[in-house]
Amino acid sequence: MRSSRFVSSTMARSPPAAAVACLLVAAVLLPAAAAEKAKAEYVKYKDPKQPINERVDDLLNRMTLEEKIGQMSQIERANATTEVIEKYFVGSVLSGGGSVPSEKATASVWQKMVAAMQKAALKTRLGIPIIYGIDAVHGNNNVYNATIFPHNVGLGATRDPNLVKRIGDATAHEARATGIPYTFAPCVAVCRDPRWGRCYESYSEDTRLVQLMTSSMVTGLQGDVPSKHPKGVPFVGGSKKVAGCAKHFVGDGGTQRGINENNTVLSFHDLMRIHMPPYDNAVIKGISTVMISYSSFNGVKMHENKFLITDTLKNKMNFRGFVITDWQAVDRITNPPHKHYYHSIEETIHAGIDMVMIPYDYPEFVADVVKQVKAGQIRLDRVNDAVSRILRVKFTMGLFEDPLPDPRLAKELGSKEHRAIAREAVRKSLVLLKNSKKGHKEGMLPLSKNAKKVLVAGSHAHDLGNQCGGWTIKWQGESGNNLTGAGTTILEAIKKAVSKNTTVDYVERPDKDDLAKGAGEYDYAVVAVGEPPYAETAGDNQNLTIPSPGPEVIKDVCGLVKCVVLVVSGRPLVVQPYVEYMDALVAAWLPGTEGQGVADVLFGDYGFTGKLPRTWFKSVDQLPMNYGDKRYDPLFPFGFGITTKAAGHD
C-alpha cells in the first residue's frame, strides 16, 4: 500500500511523455493565439499615438453611409434620447438658446445629461463620441449661476486683448464645468450699422479691432496654437479648453439697413477688406469650426455660396476644421421655409457645409441625404470630406480618449476668480462721454462715497436681466432679478460703494412734482436707462431711441439734481436731445452680472479707460456711418472716451 501510494504520487508529479508534448504545444500556441487576437482587436483610430489624419482615414473607411450622415447631423438636446442617438448615429447635439435640462439646473445636472448622451453614442458600432455645442457667447450664458461677462461690444471698448483672452479661458472652464466641450463663439462680425439686432455681438465697426479681439478670444477658448502648427488645422489645447466657432460667415454685420439675415451688397473687394479678415485671424489661431450666416451676399444665400465657403474659406484660406449651418438654416434658404428642402440639402452640402443644424427634422434630413447619395445627386467624396473634417475636430479635442464630463470641474461654474475677471471687464468697458456741464471746470466724476443722500433712478438701475441683455439664460434674455442666479445690480453696487452713513433712495420712475420738493436734499443722482433685452431679429431697430420712460427720467431727474446718466445698451442710442441735461454721461453697454464694476469706476477706485468701439451718431438719418467714411459727423467719434485717473491720484 505504501509502495502504491508512492507510485501514484510520483506519477502525479511526472506526467507521461504524451502529456508533456501537449503542454509544450499549448505553451507555444496560446501566446501566439493571444497575440493574434490582440492584433485583430487593435483598431488604429482608437490609438491616440497614431497621427490624427491616419485615425480619421481608418475610421472613415469603416463607416457605413448612414453612420457618415449621422456624423453630419446636429440635433436639439430635447430630441437627443438614447434611442435617437443610437438609431441615427448622431454626431452632434446642441442646446438652442434657453434649452436646458431643467430650470435652474446645476453644473452636475448638466454633466449628467451630457454623459447620458455620450454613453449612448459610445454604444454604437464604432463608438464615435458626440460633440455637444452651446451658445456660450458672453460666459456660459444659458446656465444658471454662471458668470455673465459683458457682451462683445463692451469687450471692444476695453481695447484689452489680454483681458479678452482671460475671458475666453474662463468661459471655456465654465462650459467644461457643465460637461460641454464646444461653444458657438466668438461672433467675429464687423457690425457696420447699429440698427442690426446682433450688433452687441460684434466687437466693433473697425475691422482691425475685431481682428485683435478675435485672435484673443479664440486662443482663450481653445488654447495657444504651437508656433509650428500648420495654418488652418484645428487646435484645442486640453480638457479644460473648448472647440470654438467663428460666426457668422461672412458679411452678416453689413446687411442693408442693419436688418438681420438681410442682403449684404458689396464688391468682393470690400467684403474681403471689411468682413473677411477676422476669419483669417481665427483660422490662423486654429479655430475648430465656422458657422455660416443666414444672410446673403449680393443676393446669394451664404449657405449655398460655394465660392465663399469652399473656394475661399476652405481652399484659399486653408481652413481644415468643419463648417456648420445656423439653426434650421437649410430650411430658410427658401421662402417660405422648408420649400424644396430636398434640393436645398443638395445645394448646401455641395456648397461646402459639413455639419447641418437640424434640431427637429433629422429623420427627414437623414433619409433625403441617403437617397441623394445613392442616386448620385450628392457626391460621396463631398460626404467623406465633411465627415473627415468633423472627425478631425473630435480627435483634436481628445473626445475619443476623454469623452465624459469631469465632475471635478463643476466647481468652476460662477467661481470667484471668473467673477473677478468679469468685474474687471466691466470697469474697463465703461466709456466716459461727458463729465461736466458747459461752463463747469470740474468734472462730476468720480462720485463722492461720503455723500449724505443720493438718488438712484431708471429702468436699468436695479435689473440684472437688463444688465445682461439677450443670450442670457433665455434666447431673448429677460428683464428682472430672478433670471441669472448670482449677480450684482448697479443699485446694489452703489449701496456697497458708499459710506454706511449715506442714504440711497431708489425710485425707478420718480414723480417730477415729488422730486422737485426734495431735490435739494440730494448730493447727486445716478440715472440708468437703456434697452430691454433682445436677440437677433427681435433686436432690429430702425429708430434706436431710448425706450420710454427713459428720456422722461433723464429730463426730470437731471433737470433738478446733479446727475450722471448710464446708458445700458447693446449699441449707441439717440441721446443728443438729452445731453445738455446731464452733468456726466457713461456708455455702460451690457455689463453682465458683475455690476460692482460700474461702481468701481463711478466712485473712482479705478479710472475710466474705455474707448468707443463704435461711432456714436447724432441721428439715425446718418446711418450707416462708420469711422473713415467721407461724410463723418458723429456726436462722439469712434475711439472717443474721456480718460480719468483713480481718485487720490494726481
Side-chain angles (χ1 to χ4, degrees):
M1 291 292 295
R2 204 171 163 186
S3 174
S4 173
R5 285 196 299 272
F6 175 77
V7 171
S8 299
S9 176
T10 304
M11 289 178 66
R13 290 195 301 270
S14 305
V20 172
C22 288
L23 288 170
L24 289 171
V25 170
V28 172
L29 291 178
L30 283 174
E36 195 65 32
K37 184 179 179 183
K39 185 178 178 182
E41 288 179 349
Y42 174 78
V43 179
K44 181 180 277 191
Y45 77 84
K46 293 183 178 180
D47 183 356
K49 296 179 181 177
Q50 295 297 324
I52 285 178
N53 284 344
E54 292 188 21
R55 297 177 76 185
V56 168
D57 290 343
D58 180 66
L59 179 50
L60 188 69
N61 289 333
R62 299 170 186 269
M63 296 173 73
T64 65
L65 177 60
E66 289 74 13
E67 287 168 332
K68 291 175 181 178
I69 295 166
Q71 286 302 300
M72 296 172 68
S73 306
Q74 184 180 68
I75 70 172
E76 217 286 322
R77 175 205 63 79
N79 299 318
T81 63
T82 296
E83 294 73 23
V84 167
I85 291 171
E86 291 183 14
K87 178 179 179 180
Y88 291 96
F89 310 104
V90 172
S92 184
V93 178
L94 84 153
S95 276
S99 178
V100 298
S102 60
E103 188 177 358
K104 299 182 180 180
T106 63
S108 296
V109 169
W110 278 92
Q111 285 201 10
K112 185 177 180 181
M113 177 193 70
V114 174
M117 295 176 186
Q118 198 63 279
K119 288 174 182 177
L122 298 175
K123 280 184 187 177
T124 57
R125 184 178 73 92
L126 295 170
I128 305 173
I130 61 163
I131 178 172
Y132 194 110
I134 197 166
D135 285 281
V137 297
H138 62 141
N140 195 5
N141 47 262
N142 279 269
V143 180
Y144 191 71
N145 276 329
T147 307
I148 307 298
F149 295 92
H151 268 296
N152 284 356
V153 65
L155 301 187
T158 70
R159 300 296 202 277
D160 188 339
N162 178 262
L163 171 64
V164 171
K165 182 179 179 181
R166 287 187 284 132
I167 290 171
D169 179 66
T171 299
H173 282 226
E174 295 210 12
R176 286 286 192 170
T178 55
I180 295 172
Y182 176 32
T183 174
F184 307 123
C187 178
V188 303
V190 181
C191 176
R192 303 290 283 179
D193 193 324
R195 292 174 290 187
W196 185 37
R198 305 195 80 146
C199 204
Y200 63 75
E201 297 184 57
S202 167
Y203 295 111
S204 178
E205 70 189 37
D206 179 67
T207 301
R208 288 171 295 179
L209 182 54
V210 176
Q211 286 181 274
L212 181 66
M213 297 309 185
T214 294
S215 296
S216 296
M217 183 59 79
V218 171
T219 54
L221 292 168
Q222 298 194 157
D224 289 298
V225 177
S227 58
K228 294 184 179 179
H229 192 76
K231 179 187 174 182
V233 176
F235 175 81
V236 180
S239 61
K240 287 190 176 182
K241 295 295 186 179
V242 295
C245 179
K247 65 182 189 183
H248 307 85
F249 187 86
V250 56
D252 55 338
T255 57
Q256 291 182 307
R257 297 185 62 79
I259 296 172
N260 193 41
E261 305 179 26
N262 201 17
N263 191 21
T264 298
V265 179
L266 281 177
S267 68
F268 178 68
H269 173 79
D270 282 345
L271 183 78
M272 296 298 289
R273 178 178 63 86
I274 297 169
H275 297 281
M276 191 66 82
Y279 288 96
D280 200 46
N281 285 71
V283 169
I284 290 168
K285 296 297 181 181
I287 194 70
S288 297
T289 72
V290 172
M291 184 183 292
I292 305 303
S293 174
Y294 288 125
S295 60
S296 303
F297 174 59
N298 291 338
V300 179
K301 287 280 188 180
M302 274 305 310
H303 277 86
E304 55 183 358
N305 196 320
K306 183 181 178 184
F307 173 71
L308 288 173
I309 297 172
T310 297
D311 297 348
T312 306
L313 176 64
K314 289 184 171 182
N315 295 341
K316 187 175 180 180
M317 295 166 64
N318 208 39
F319 175 60
R320 291 291 177 264
F322 69 79
V323 172
I324 185 169
T325 73
D326 208 329
W327 177 275
Q328 291 185 314
V330 174
D331 303 63
R332 291 160 71 167
I333 284 176
T334 56
N335 189 16
H338 207 75
K339 189 179 182 181
H340 307 308
Y341 185 65
Y342 189 89
H343 177 70
S344 294
I345 290 171
E346 178 187 359
E347 287 295 305
T348 53
I349 291 176
H350 278 166
I353 298 294
D354 303 312
M355 184 177 284
V356 181
M357 198 182 288
I358 35 168
Y360 310 117
D361 296 326
Y362 52 91
E364 180 182 5
F365 170 80
V366 169
D368 283 357
V369 178
V370 169
K371 184 176 180 180
Q372 291 192 61
V373 173
K374 288 182 176 179
Q377 292 167 284
I378 293 177
R379 300 192 313 274
L380 183 60
D381 65 343
R382 176 73 272 277
V383 171
N384 287 341
D385 174 61
V387 177
S388 295
R389 290 169 175 273
I390 293 163
L391 295 177
R392 182 178 297 123
V393 170
K394 290 185 176 185
F395 282 122
T396 299
M397 296 169 67
L399 278 179
F400 282 80
E401 289 70 52
D402 194 16
L404 298 175
D406 184 347
R408 296 171 298 179
L409 299 180
K411 65 182 183 295
E412 298 247 14
L413 186 74
S415 71
K416 289 182 180 179
E417 294 79 8
H418 297 163
R419 293 189 184 280
I421 296 170
R423 182 172 173 175
E424 178 187 348
V426 172
R427 59 179 178 252
K428 288 183 174 180
S429 70
L430 301 179
V431 181
L432 181 58
L433 299 174
K434 179 183 180 181
N435 196 25
S436 64
K437 280 188 175 176
K438 192 173 182 180
H440 291 220
K441 291 184 178 180
E442 289 189 8
M444 180 184 176
L445 301 175
L447 302 175
S448 170
K449 293 183 178 182
N450 297 310
K452 289 183 179 180
K453 192 174 183 180
V454 301
L455 173 65
V456 179
S459 55
H460 288 58
H462 188 46
D463 195 307
L464 276 173
N466 285 350
Q467 277 179 213
C468 293
W471 292 109
T472 304
I473 306 299
K474 300 180 178 182
W475 173 38
Q476 293 292 326
E478 188 177 89
S479 297
N481 290 325
N482 299 314
L483 191 66
T484 61
T488 305
T489 68
I490 293 169
L491 171 66
E492 290 167 339
I494 290 170
K495 288 181 175 180
K496 289 179 183 178
V498 297
S499 164
K500 292 179 181 179
N501 299 320
T502 301
T503 299
V504 178
D505 285 349
Y506 167 61
V507 187
E508 182 177 332
R509 173 66 172 98
D511 180 83
K512 187 176 181 180
D513 293 335
D514 290 345
L515 182 59
K517 295 173 186 176
E521 299 176 14
Y522 294 112
D523 292 77
Y524 55 79
V526 178
V527 176
V529 296
E531 300 180 294
Y534 58 81
E536 300 190 51
T537 303
D540 286 355
N541 187 332
Q542 297 299 309
N543 299 315
L544 295 181
T545 53
I546 297 172
S548 184
E552 293 80 12
V553 173
I554 292 171
K555 288 187 283 187
D556 291 351
V557 175
C558 297
L560 293 167
V561 183
K562 187 178 182 182
C563 80
V564 54
V565 173
L566 309 176
V567 178
V568 181
S569 66
R571 53 199 163 187
L573 301 175
V574 175
V575 296
Q576 189 181 34
Y578 324 114
V579 171
E580 64 182 71
Y581 291 89
M582 309 170 189
D583 293 273
L585 171 62
V586 177
W589 312 112
L590 296 170
T593 51
E594 307 313 299
Q596 199 69 49
V598 177
D600 286 342
V601 184
L602 285 181
F603 291 94
D605 294 327
Y606 295 84
F608 280 92
T609 58
K611 303 296 179 185
L612 283 181
R614 310 204 48 77
T615 296
W616 204 294
F617 56 88
K618 294 176 181 176
S619 163
V620 290
D621 295 334
Q622 296 174 296
L623 299 177
M625 177 176 63
N626 295 282
Y627 174 71
D629 288 354
K630 290 181 180 179
R631 293 184 179 180
Y632 191 70
D633 182 29
L635 182 62
F636 303 107
F638 169 82
F640 179 79
I642 300 169
T643 301
T644 65
K645 293 184 178 180
H649 291 258
D650 294 331

